[in-house]
Amino acid sequence: MERAKVIPKSYPSNVLNKNWNQRPCYFKKNSEKFLKAVNEMEVRDDDVWLITLPKCGTTWMQELVWLVLNNFDFESAKQEHLELRSRFLEFDEVLYDGEGSIIKYSTEMKSPRLVKSHLPLPLLPSQLWTKKPKVIYVFRNPKDAIVSFYYHLRNYQITSFLNPTDYAQDFINEDMLTHQHFLHVAEFYALREEPWIYYTSYECMKSDLRSVIQDVCKFLNKNITEAQMQQMLHHLSFEEMKNNSKTNHIWAAQQFSRKFNKEIGDLRFIRKGKVGGYKDDLTAEDINKIDDWMNSELKSHNLILNDLLLQNN
Ligand code: PPS
């Protein structure tokens, strides 16, 4: 996807004080109309916004939050694709160069809406910073996210890279040009104590899903019984979600297949689900290169990886 520099549009300068005009910001080329529509879209007080970098556990958290918001209605969840119950804001823009999802959100989606987006903070709707609906952010070790992204692109046949090594190098080069990854998380991490933000990590979900479910319930002011908790733990387990036809982005893959006239075969969106799984795919040399990039980025943002992963307690 060809990217272009864009001017940051809106930000919570009252709680995050920095020179926003100088904040490097990039998005898909020729997306001005879309970005304007996003910036101006109406945010509802009871919206929940799920913001992540790609491949960081979005789908897992999305299913979790949707169920909490919808009174643990597992039957309905099993009947409709997750991406139709909770829309991906950029989907139409990325796929069709259109504003479709925005229009759906602004007019058609019933409350409470659960909105998924990978947009960086300054490109999100300006009303987020005034209405302050609930915002959830999930981070993941970039090494696992990079490998996951490689397999995602292979699945959709939209990468020419034949192995994770080449893809990882390209990812780093691209990131150094467009400064996206750590800046994206740094801003939400800085906001994590705000009462309208819930910040967590894929690693936390893996190590203690029960606590994350409890946290989300508390954050959204919802009660959960022990029986519902047991159902949640079962429904959200890797094996269940891997075999659930409604959580594997099959609808999205069909749209993609139609648009590009490609057969996508047996799409396994939910793939491996491991912490540290990158070790099976990357060489020691790849890992060193990614570590160098990560260390330099972490240093420039004055961050520590384990803090971002909430793995220090
Ligand atoms: S996307 O395309 O950005 O929305 O992808 P995203 O959903 O953020 O990330 C996909 C990865 O999350 C894993 N996943 C899970 N892991 C453990 N348990 C459950 N239930 C679960 N659901 C999704 C999924 O397998 C992808 O990670 P990898 O490493 O590729 O397996």
Side-chain angles (χ1 to χ4, degrees):
M1 177 168 93
E2 212 179 330
R3 286 171 168 248
K5 192 162 192 176
V6 286
I7 297 165
K9 291 199 175 292
S10 58
Y11 20 82
S13 22
N14 51 341
V15 278
L16 207 52
N17 191 9
K18 65 189 215 181
N19 190 349
W20 286 99
N21 289 329
Q22 300 296 318
R23 196 257 195 224
C25 211
Y26 296 82
F27 191 66
K28 186 175 162 250
K29 210 173 164 192
N30 300 326
S31 293
E32 290 78 13
K33 214 170 146 202
F34 166 78
L35 292 175
K36 184 170 184 294
V38 172
N39 189 249
E40 293 172 357
M41 84 179 263
E42 195 202 339
V43 168
R44 297 184 194 157
D45 291 326
D46 59 357
D47 279 350
V48 178
W49 284 68
L50 174 57
I51 315 295
T52 59
L53 285 157
K55 313 318 288 180
C56 287
T58 328
T59 308
W60 198 7
M61 181 57 91
Q62 212 177 349
E63 183 73 347
L64 187 166
V65 177
W66 189 89
L67 285 161
V68 172
L69 284 178
N70 289 278
N71 301 316
F72 307 99
D73 186 354
F74 294 94
E75 282 317 306
S76 299
K78 280 180 199 150
Q79 272 158 32
E80 186 160 36
H81 293 288
L82 174 58
E83 59 269 40
L84 294 177
R85 288 180 272 132
S86 161
R87 295 257 173 184
F88 175 23
L89 195 67
E90 299 94 279
F91 186 77
D92 289 14
E93 177 62 14
V94 172
L95 200 61
Y96 303 114
D97 298 315
E99 295 159 41
S101 295
I102 310 294
I103 292 158
K104 279 187 196 83
Y105 266 120
S106 303
T107 55
E108 293 170 19
M109 297 297 288
K110 286 204 190 92
S111 292
R113 304 180 298 187
L114 170 59
V115 187
K116 159 185 167 177
S117 177
H118 296 314
L119 286 176
L121 184 150
L123 297 184
L124 287 163
S126 68
Q127 285 189 7
L128 274 188
W129 322 125
T130 50
K131 292 200 172 175
K132 298 183 178 167
K134 298 284 164 72
V135 176
I136 296 177
Y137 190 92
V138 186
F139 185 59
R140 185 184 194 185
N141 188 327
K143 283 181 268 198
D144 279 329
I146 289 172
V147 171
S148 181
F149 213 160
Y150 165 75
Y151 283 106
H152 177 93
L153 297 174
R154 284 295 299 270
N155 250 338
Y156 284 84
Q157 302 165 36
I158 41 179
T159 180
S160 50
F161 296 111
L162 296 176
N163 54 60
T165 295
D166 294 345
Y167 178 70
Q169 185 58 60
D170 183 72
F171 185 97
I172 295 171
N173 296 345
E174 183 62 26
D175 194 79
M176 289 200 305
L177 286 174
T178 58
H179 300 284
Q180 287 290 305
H181 208 86
F182 282 95
L183 201 45
H184 196 287
V185 58
E187 287 162 351
F188 284 95
Y189 183 72
L191 289 174
R192 71 194 179 285
E193 303 292 346
E194 292 296 315
W196 43 281
I197 298 269
Y198 175 64
Y199 176 101
T200 191
S201 69
Y202 180 88
E203 288 71 8
C204 287
M205 294 177 76
K206 280 295 288 188
S207 65
D208 190 356
L209 186 58
R210 173 185 280 266
S211 293
V212 174
I213 297 170
Q214 277 164 346
D215 287 351
V216 170
C217 289
K218 199 168 160 210
F219 180 63
L220 299 177
N221 302 316
K222 300 281 183 190
N223 294 321
I224 181 166
T225 64
E226 181 52 29
Q228 287 165 336
M229 175 62 86
Q230 289 302 331
Q231 274 183 293
M232 286 288 274
L233 292 170
H234 175 71
H235 183 91
L236 296 170
S237 70
F238 178 76
E239 281 309 320
E240 279 297 305
M241 278 190 61
K242 190 174 171 68
N243 293 318
N244 181 343
S245 63
K246 302 298 188 260
T247 54
N248 275 276
H249 295 255
I250 290 169
W251 177 85
Q254 283 163 351
Q255 307 304 305
F256 182 86
S257 179
R258 211 166 295 152
K259 158 91 189 187
F260 295 104
N261 208 8
K262 275 186 180 172
E263 275 298 319
I264 294 196
D266 183 23
L267 180 89
R268 286 283 160 181
F269 181 91
I270 297 182
R271 185 185 66 94
K272 190 172 192 178
K274 273 179 70 178
V275 169
Y278 69 87
K279 291 176 194 152
D280 302 335
D281 288 279
L282 298 173
T283 65
E285 197 184 333
D286 301 335
I287 295 172
N288 280 339
K289 278 188 193 162
I290 301 177
D291 280 340
D292 286 347
W293 161 70
M294 281 173 49
N295 289 335
S296 128
E297 285 293 305
L298 287 162
K299 196 169 166 205
S300 78
H301 294 294
N302 205 13
L303 292 167
I304 293 169
L305 182 64
N306 273 348
D307 289 347
L308 294 178
L309 299 174
L310 304 181
Q311 297 297 292
N312 275 337
N313 305 326

